[in-house]
């Protein structure tokens, strides 16, 4: 096992990983930007190295500096967290080149699955159903032709996109040319790759994803599904496990399909296979995320498996000590993302407690939130034996949360989980479009 790990991230996920290391008896090295000197992950790690300026490009996205910090502190492995360099194949390769273990899949797998077009083709070859759509489109003319075949509305998607960015809805032919040009040049700027493909816009659908672990010996175990249909601008706001729309039979099918997808790609470590599911319970692969997901805690709560610890063990060559048959999805877990609506300083801070209430955050009283990074402040996660009780527990937990000094979406989240459609489990990815509560 490793004796020292560097965490190449910040915020709540860096803290989540530091905690796992502490429980495993592994020393930790934090890296931080000049804007993050006062951040909690720096205080909680055993050592900390400043790696550059506030802008992510100068620090958390600077692979060379991070590798140098790992070598200088004699860390053996690097955990990338999510976002930043976590899905960057070049960074994974750089770690390997310097004899450091990248805690994630091999560079080749990251690059294959990170190319959404290549991933779709691999899935089709392996009998995994994908959303109806095209391969890479050469130009707007080809897009117009393809959309005539598929039928409007369609989505044009950047093959290199992620985090809800690089996706555009096109409803009419007259909008296609412009949409294609702007989306493609935006993708070229944001991801360094302007290649676009098209999918039929499916509606109404649920976003259902399967969390899995794959060890170096080829064992794959799925940890049930998460439903993440509550989204704004294709970004998740509320996640839960199990999905109220998934029966035990569908769960088995989903997990078998996800395992097939992982096997086909030669997957190792923790990964998530994302599907869209229609009202007839047909499901279609949309992409595979090769990182630890933001919403991983809900799967931990319902399975009792610590995903981060297993990421570390798998990277160290430890085989999974449980099989698919050992996994029981029990009870119900919900996560609400708490996002800032603007800059601020945490003047007063109170977090809820009680059994099975978990608030993963990097906030503390007096903390000045740097304006350079993601707006997510924390994740409220609750677990209960029934979904009904979990919803009440979440309402209570969110009501207890006090964050003064920074505007955030806590009130909106309370309204969302109190919504009749959410309570019934009868909700789809278009939920926020028709949701009135949050604007009040
Ligand atoms: P989610 O957790 O909502 O499913 P993803 O898994 O796509 O989102 O990404 C996880 C995190 O990484 C999010 O914070 C997201 O903003 C960020 N992220 C992922 N891909 C990119 C990208 N290509 N550009 C910028 N940020 C990204
Ligand atoms: P990202 O890499 O940014 O996470 P995804 O391909 O996973 O992009 O899509 C993000 C979200 O966009 C999905 O969760 C879903 O809500 C919506 N979406 C993606 N593809 C489709 C589709 N073909 N039809 C309807 N909605 C879609
Ligand atoms: Mg996605």
């Amino acid at each position: 096992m490793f004796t020292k790990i560097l965490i190449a991230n910040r915020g709540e996920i860096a803290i989540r990983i530091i905690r796992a290391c502490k429980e495993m008896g592994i020393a930790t090295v934090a890296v931080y930007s000049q804007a993050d000197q006062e951040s909690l992950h720096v205080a909680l790690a055993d050592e900390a190295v400043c790696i550059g300026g506030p802008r992510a490009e100068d620090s958390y996205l600077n692979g060379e500096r991070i590798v140098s910090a790992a070598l200088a502190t004699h860390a053996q492995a690097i955990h990338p967290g999510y976002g930043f360099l976590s899905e960057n194949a070049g960074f994974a390769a750089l770690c390997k080149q310097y004899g450091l273990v990248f805690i994630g899949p091999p560079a080749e797998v990251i690059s294959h699955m990170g190319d959404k077009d290549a991933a779709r083709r691999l899935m089709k070859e392996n009998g995994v159903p994908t959303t109806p759509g095209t391969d890479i489109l050469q130009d707007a003319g080809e897009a117009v032709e393809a959309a005539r075949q598929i039928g409007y509305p369609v989505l044009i998607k950047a093959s290199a996109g992620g985090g809800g960015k690089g996706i555009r809805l096109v409803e009419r032919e007259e909008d296609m040319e412009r949409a294609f040009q702007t989306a493609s040049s935006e993708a070229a700027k944001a991801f360094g790759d302007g290649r676009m493909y098209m999918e039929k816009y499916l509606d109404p659908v649920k976003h259902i994803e399967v969390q899995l672990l794959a060890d170096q010996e080829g064992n794959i175990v799925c940890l049930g599904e998460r439903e993440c249909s509550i989204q704004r601008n294709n970004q998740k706001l509320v996640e839960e496990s199990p999905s109220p729309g998934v029966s035990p039979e569908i769960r088995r099918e989903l997990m078998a399909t996800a395992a097939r997808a992982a096997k086909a790609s030669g997957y190792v470590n923790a990964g998530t296979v994302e599907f869209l599911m229609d009202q007839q319970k047909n499901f279609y692969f949309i992409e595979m995320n090769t990182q630890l997901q933001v919403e991983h805690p809900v799967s931990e709560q319902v399975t009792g498996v610590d995903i981060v610890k297993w990421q570390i063990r798998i990277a160290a060559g430890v085989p999974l000590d449980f099989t698919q048959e050992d996994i029981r999805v029990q009870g119900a877990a919900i996560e609400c993302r708490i996002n800032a609506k603007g800059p601020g300083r945490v003047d007063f801070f109170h977090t809820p407690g009680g059994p099975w209430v978990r608030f993963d955050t990097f906030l503390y009283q007096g903390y000045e939130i740097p304006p350079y990074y993601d707006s997510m402040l924390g994740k409220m996660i609750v677990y209960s034996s029934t979904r009904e009780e979990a919803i009440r527990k979440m309402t209570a937990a969110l009501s207890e949360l006090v964050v003064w000094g920074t505007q955030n979406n806590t009130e909106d989240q309370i309204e969302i989980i109190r919504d009749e459609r959410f309570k019934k489990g009868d909700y789809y990815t278009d939920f926020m479009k028709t949701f009135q509560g949050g604007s009040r």
Side-chain angles (χ1 to χ4, degrees):
M1 184 47 64
F2 309 118
T3 55
K4 195 189 272 190
I5 291 177
L6 179 142
I7 295 104
N9 216 301
R10 65 180 302 283
E12 67 85 20
I13 198 63
I15 292 164
R16 166 75 186 87
I17 298 161
I18 291 169
R19 286 181 178 143
C21 290
K22 286 189 176 174
E23 290 175 33
M24 295 172 83
I26 299 170
T28 52
V29 182
V31 293
Y32 63 100
S33 74
Q34 284 159 3
D36 268 340
Q37 207 136 5
E38 304 301 326
S39 284
L40 196 53
H41 74 286
V42 177
L44 293 182
D46 297 307
E47 292 169 71
V49 181
C50 182
I51 50 168
R55 292 187 326 145
E57 300 82 80
D58 298 330
S59 48
Y60 301 106
L61 287 173
N62 190 325
E64 280 89 3
R65 293 221 185 128
I66 292 168
V67 165
S68 302
L71 295 173
T73 53
H74 303 288
Q76 295 125 1
I78 297 187
H79 196 309
Y82 55 67
F84 295 127
L85 294 170
S86 62
E87 295 188 301
N88 185 311
F91 179 66
L94 188 72
C95 291
K96 194 172 175 191
Q97 190 187 329
Y98 284 92
L100 297 162
V101 176
F102 174 82
I103 302 177
E108 310 78 62
V109 176
I110 297 175
S111 89
H112 199 150
M113 300 316 272
D115 181 339
K116 290 176 160 188
D117 169 64
R120 278 165 62 81
R121 278 186 280 119
L122 181 69
M123 291 306 120
K124 283 187 219 160
E125 284 160 22
N126 286 276
V128 173
T130 59
T131 41
T134 69
D135 292 340
I136 296 295
L137 300 163
Q138 295 311 321
D139 51 37
E142 236 182 75
V144 167
E145 279 307 312
R148 277 185 192 160
Q149 300 283 321
I150 293 170
Y152 287 91
V154 297
L155 289 180
I156 45 178
K157 290 177 134 183
S159 194
K165 299 175 194 92
I167 301 178
R168 221 187 218 71
L169 177 66
V170 185
E171 290 175 290
R172 299 171 311 174
E173 184 163 313
E174 49 271 43
D175 299 336
M176 182 60 83
E177 169 112 30
R178 229 182 97 92
F180 187 90
Q181 304 299 2
T182 51
S184 176
S185 61
E186 274 171 28
K189 236 197 237 156
F191 316 115
D193 178 353
R195 291 175 313 133
M196 306 296 294
Y197 67 101
M198 183 182 294
E199 286 180 20
K200 175 144 189 73
Y201 180 68
L202 302 177
D203 183 42
V205 282
K206 282 177 172 289
H207 174 116
I208 306 284
E209 58 185 35
V210 176
Q211 173 71 55
L212 59 86
L213 290 170
D215 68 19
Q216 294 191 26
E217 295 178 7
N219 302 305
I220 299 170
V221 174
C222 296
L223 303 178
E225 82 286 356
R226 294 184 286 256
E227 169 153 8
C228 320
S229 304
I230 307 288
Q231 306 180 349
R232 180 171 271 151
N233 303 327
N234 301 321
Q235 285 166 347
K236 299 160 188 166
L237 285 172
V238 179
E239 300 99 343
E240 62 175 321
S241 183
S243 163
V246 169
S247 63
E249 296 75 55
I250 301 288
R251 176 166 310 117
R252 269 195 293 278
E253 266 183 64
L254 277 163
M255 294 199 300
T257 308
R260 186 140 35 96
K263 201 176 171 79
S265 65
Y267 205 83
V268 182
N269 216 288
T272 296
V273 184
E274 295 190 335
F275 299 98
L276 296 180
M277 189 175 85
D278 66 21
Q279 286 174 306
Q280 287 72 48
K281 314 281 178 191
N282 300 307
F283 53 85
Y284 308 93
F285 172 91
I286 46 172
E287 65 158 343
M288 179 154 191
N289 291 319
T290 59
Q291 60 179 358
L292 177 68
Q293 291 287 95
V294 174
E295 58 274 19
H296 75 277
V298 292
S299 302
E300 298 186 320
Q301 301 299 133
V302 296
T303 60
V305 175
D306 187 314
I307 294 170
V308 176
K309 284 186 195 164
W310 273 107
Q311 284 194 290
I312 295 168
R313 292 191 194 109
I314 289 170
V318 178
L320 291 170
D321 69 359
F322 50 87
T323 64
Q324 192 62 63
E325 285 64 48
D326 298 324
I327 298 298
R328 295 268 173 283
V329 173
Q330 271 177 343
I334 306 175
E335 170 182 287
C336 287
R337 299 192 189 195
I338 305 303
N339 296 328
K341 290 181 170 177
R345 179 181 182 276
V346 183
D347 295 325
F348 181 78
F349 186 48
H350 174 79
T351 54
W356 295 293
V357 174
R358 168 175 170 188
F359 188 49
D360 282 15
T361 187
F362 60 115
L363 298 186
Y364 61 85
Q365 199 157 312
Y367 181 56
E368 184 99 38
I369 302 163
Y372 304 97
Y373 314 106
D374 203 86
S375 61
M376 198 178 76
L377 301 175
K379 310 182 300 202
M380 188 71 75
I381 303 125
V382 299
Y383 174 68
S384 225
S385 54
T386 66
R387 185 172 184 269
E388 217 183 335
E389 203 175 278
I391 291 174
R392 284 200 293 266
K393 196 193 278 275
M394 179 61 90
T395 310
L398 291 175
S399 308
E400 275 186 51
L401 177 68
V402 182
V403 187
W404 282 353
T406 169
Q407 294 259 56
N408 63 73
N409 68 338
T410 303
E411 292 299 319
D412 306 345
Q413 291 287 34
I414 293 174
E415 303 251 349
I416 290 171
I417 60 160
R418 277 179 166 173
D419 187 284
E420 275 312 308
R421 288 171 299 164
F422 184 79
K423 280 190 183 161
K424 286 192 190 126
D426 184 26
Y427 66 94
Y428 299 87
T429 54
D430 61 1
F431 178 91
M432 291 306 290
K433 279 188 198 136
T434 50
F435 176 70
Q436 297 303 318
S439 55
R440 261 189 275 150

